[in-house]
């Protein structure tokens, strides 16, 4: 009989209220409840967080790294989207 | 420990991880460029097959070392001399387990499964750091492991926080933050023992005598004998050579031994004014290779402990899956 492995889950931690959840690693677990428990044991032994998210790794849809140029390069020449593009007189430059 | 693991493969006649052909010259050029610029390579980026294989070997052997490393110290949890020391040791051993898991997860991003990695350890195909094949005979060994073994590991691991493979570098950052506690609690334990009875002080000296040379071996063979190093340096996996790291470790440790009031078992240990470093004696590489080949004092015992933990836990893993399936089926039916 082929041995089934526990599925992989990605772990996200909110380090304190007011901050986003941030990816910190992954764990293997048979279900969501145990995934949370294991994420707590593996990633928050030193008060690293106040909230945890776990999500099945196979549920994450990722962009293709080879598509990086067409996805992200178009933003490179649109510097007018940044406030620093605009030179204003000193008197009002704090705007 | 990982540096050692890389060298073992070469010494056993396995072909060093050299790309035989460029799988895709255009991608290869982009990859080289990224590595040269000091950029990170991420899991789904194109990478040369030899880079991937070297990383799988290094990261998984590093993970195995953390997991097997729980055994010599776990040996003393029930016999720790106070509740405080027991709590500290439990936390440390739990950290080693955590470090193993961070690293397995990093290795899995390279397309190998956890089961394959564990299988390679259990079949003897993958190695772990030879240091864990030495026994922990007294309580002082627990202190010396923290001070010397974890001290050597930290020396090795800090440069890995800048390694070119993103998931490995991030795991190492996390590990290094926690590892400092390991070394300091060990030194603190020894300081306490050195303020005790003559018998306790002798116990510390005996443990230092036994662990000093194996700790120096943790940095792996001399640079001239370290065949895989060149590739790893080029790929930004390894940043500092074995001998350089070993010297840094000796230079850092000698003054710590003086503060502690213990001797280091090397008659050739001498400050070299000209070099600005401590000179030290020749390492017994026959002993090193002997332990790597499986003939150390505890090789069989360590592997046996891992294999039986895995086999005896199989029913738990299966039951948990069966439970998850049942719950999922019920949820669908409802």
């Amino acid at each position: 009989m082929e041995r089934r492995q526990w599925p992989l889950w990605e772990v996200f931690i909110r380090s304190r209220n007011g901050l986003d959840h941030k990816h910190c690693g992954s764990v293997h677990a048979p279900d969501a409840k145990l995934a949370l428990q294991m994420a707590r044991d593996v990633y928050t032994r030193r008060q690293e967080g106040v909230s945890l998210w776990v999500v099945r790794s196979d549920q994450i849809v990722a962009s293709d790294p080879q598509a990086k140029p067409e996805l992200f390069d178009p933003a490179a020449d649109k510097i007018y989207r940044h406030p620093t593009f605009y030179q204003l007189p000193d008197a009002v430059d704090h705007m | 420990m990982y540096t050692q693991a890389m060298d073992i493969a070469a010494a056993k006649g396995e072909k060093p991880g050299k790309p035989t052909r460029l799988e895709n010259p255009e991608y290869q050029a982009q990859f080289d460029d990224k590595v040269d610029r000091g950029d990170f390579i991420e899991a789904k980026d194109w990478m040369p097959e030899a880079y991937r294989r070297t990383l799988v070997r290094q990261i998984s052997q590093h993970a195995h070392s953390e997991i097997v490393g729980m055994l010599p110290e776990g040996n003393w949890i029930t016999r720790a001399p106070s509740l405080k020391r027991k709590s500290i040791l439990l936390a440390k051993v739990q950290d080693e387990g955590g470090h193993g898991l961070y690293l397995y997860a990093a290795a899995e991003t390279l397309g190998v499964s956890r089961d394959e990695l564990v299988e390679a350890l259990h079949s003897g195909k993958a190695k772990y750091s030879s240091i864990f094949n030495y026994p922990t005979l007294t309580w002082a060994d627990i202190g010396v492991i923290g001070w010397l073994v974890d001290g050597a590991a930290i020396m090795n691991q800090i440069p890995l926080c800048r390694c070119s493979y993103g998931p490995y570098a991030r795991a190492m950052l996390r590990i290094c933050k926690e590892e400092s506690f390991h070394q300091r609690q060990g030194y603190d334990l020894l300081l306490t023992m050195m303020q005790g009875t003559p018998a306790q002080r002798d116990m510390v000296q005996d443990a230092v005598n036994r662990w000093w040379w194996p700790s120096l071996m943790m940095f792996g063979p001399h640079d001239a004998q370290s065949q895989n190093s060149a590739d790893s340096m080029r790929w930004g996996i390894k940043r500092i050579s074995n001998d350089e790291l070993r010297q840094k470790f000796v230079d850092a440790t000698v003054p710590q031994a003086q503060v502690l009031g213990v001797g280091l078992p090397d008659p050739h240990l001498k400050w070299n004014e000209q070099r600005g470093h401590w000179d030290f004696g020749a390492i017994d590489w026959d002993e090193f290779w002997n332990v790597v080949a499986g003939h150390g004092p505890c090789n069989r015992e360590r592997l046996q402990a891992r294999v039986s933990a895995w086999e005896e836990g199989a029913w738990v893993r299966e039951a948990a899956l069966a439970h998850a399936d049942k719950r999922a089926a019920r949820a669908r039916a409802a």
Side-chain angles (χ1 to χ4, degrees):
Chain A
M1 191 185 79
E2 203 196 325
R3 197 175 53 210
R4 269 170 69 206
Q5 297 189 34
W6 285 1
L8 194 65
W9 303 73
E10 298 304 318
V11 180
F12 300 80
I13 296 184
R14 185 202 293 286
S15 54
R16 58 186 161 84
N17 277 4
L19 296 179
D20 292 322
H21 284 78
K22 196 175 154 207
H23 182 250
C24 72
S26 39
V27 291
H28 284 273
D31 57 28
K33 193 177 162 190
L34 271 173
L36 269 180
Q37 181 67 47
M38 291 185 176
R40 176 255 189 201
D41 288 348
V42 175
Y43 292 104
T44 64
R45 289 193 304 282
R46 288 179 176 76
Q47 297 182 293
E48 287 90 341
V50 295
S51 165
L52 278 171
W53 286 351
V54 291
V55 59
R56 282 275 298 250
S57 307
D58 55 14
Q59 296 295 309
I60 290 182
V61 182
S63 64
D64 174 5
Q66 293 304 327
K68 194 168 148 251
E70 58 261 41
L71 285 177
F72 306 112
D73 287 359
D77 60 359
K78 297 182 177 56
I79 47 172
Y80 49 82
R81 291 181 173 177
H82 297 276
T84 45
F85 176 73
Y86 303 94
Q87 300 290 323
L88 300 185
D90 283 349
V92 293
D93 203 25
H94 60 277
M95 186 186 288
Chain B
M1 49 181 73
Y2 37 83
T3 46
Q4 174 188 100
M6 293 200 313
D7 293 311
I8 289 162
K12 285 175 71 189
E14 183 184 312
K15 266 194 204 140
K18 281 216 171 55
T20 46
R21 64 194 170 86
L22 295 183
E23 296 138 302
N24 180 326
E26 190 196 332
Y27 288 174
Q28 178 76 46
Q30 288 171 3
F31 171 88
D32 291 341
D33 192 40
K34 263 198 259 184
V35 168
D36 292 345
R37 276 201 315 261
D39 271 7
F40 288 103
I41 307 297
E42 292 294 345
K44 294 210 160 73
D45 291 349
W46 185 90
M47 61 187 81
E49 181 53 23
Y51 175 81
R52 195 188 71 85
R53 261 188 288 120
T54 300
L55 277 171
V56 169
R57 186 170 63 203
Q58 176 167 335
I59 301 172
S60 67
Q61 299 193 358
H62 194 168
H64 299 328
S65 299
E66 298 282 356
I67 298 297
V68 176
M70 296 165 83
L71 298 170
E73 291 177 294
N75 178 36
W76 279 91
I77 290 174
T78 55
R79 289 174 288 163
S82 68
L83 182 58
K84 173 186 153 189
R85 292 292 172 194
K86 188 195 291 240
S87 304
I88 292 170
L89 185 55
L90 269 171
K92 179 174 192 292
V93 173
Q94 194 189 15
D95 273 356
E96 320 279 9
H99 295 177
L101 294 177
Y102 307 155
L103 289 163
Y104 280 132
E108 286 171 79
T109 63
L110 292 158
V112 282
S113 73
R114 178 77 58 92
D115 277 13
E116 285 174 271
L117 298 173
V118 170
E119 189 59 40
L121 171 67
H122 293 178
S123 69
K125 192 172 148 249
K127 298 291 178 198
Y128 53 88
S129 182
S130 58
I131 194 85
F132 301 118
N133 290 316
Y134 292 88
T136 41
L137 302 179
T138 71
W139 176 249
D141 289 39
I142 299 305
V144 171
I145 286 179
W147 173 39
L148 296 181
V149 176
D150 290 310
I154 292 171
M155 213 49 108
N156 258 328
Q157 287 168 347
I158 285 174
L160 284 172
C161 298
R162 292 184 289 122
C163 128
S164 61
Y165 188 57
Y168 191 24
R170 290 192 288 275
M172 289 318 304
L173 265 178
R174 189 174 276 275
I175 289 173
C176 284
K177 275 191 208 160
E178 298 176 354
E179 202 80 48
S180 176
F181 144 61
H182 296 184
Q183 191 184 19
R184 292 175 69 97
Q185 66 79 36
Y187 196 80
D188 176 74
L189 188 165
L190 297 175
L191 273 176
T192 308
M193 283 187 84
M194 290 305 284
Q195 288 154 19
T197 64
Q200 286 171 316
R201 285 195 290 276
D202 288 350
M203 208 182 266
V204 173
Q205 184 62 60
D206 168 64
V208 170
N209 292 348
R210 282 181 290 108
W211 288 94
W212 173 250
W213 290 106
S215 299
L216 292 191
M217 294 174 195
M218 284 177 69
F219 294 92
H222 288 308
D223 296 344
Q225 270 88 49
S226 179
Q227 301 184 27
N228 287 337
S229 286
D231 281 331
S232 289
M233 289 273 192
R234 183 162 53 86
W235 285 326
I237 298 174
K238 195 172 166 60
R239 301 281 187 190
I240 307 180
S241 83
N242 294 357
D243 285 329
E244 208 180 320
L245 285 168
R246 190 166 14 239
Q247 182 69 60
K248 272 179 78 160
F249 174 72
V250 172
D251 291 346
T253 307
V254 172
Q256 293 165 358
Q258 289 164 348
V259 171
L260 201 54
V262 292
L264 295 171
D266 179 358
H268 301 287
L269 197 64
K270 197 165 160 277
W271 175 252
N272 185 325
E273 193 67 54
Q274 212 174 1
R275 290 201 311 130
H277 291 292
W278 287 87
D279 288 337
F280 54 97
I283 292 170
D284 180 2
W285 292 109
D286 288 344
E287 174 184 330
F288 172 75
W289 290 114
N290 194 44
V291 176
V292 167
H295 310 303
C298 301
N299 294 57
R300 285 166 60 99
E301 187 187 329
R302 300 287 185 241
L303 211 50
Q304 183 53 45
R306 284 315 311 153
V307 171
S308 42
W310 181 252
E311 286 174 356
E312 286 162 22
W315 71 270
V316 180
R317 295 192 295 277
E318 284 160 24
L321 270 179
H323 179 70
D325 289 347
K326 189 181 76 183
R327 301 277 302 226
R330 265 191 208 157
R332 275 196 303 273

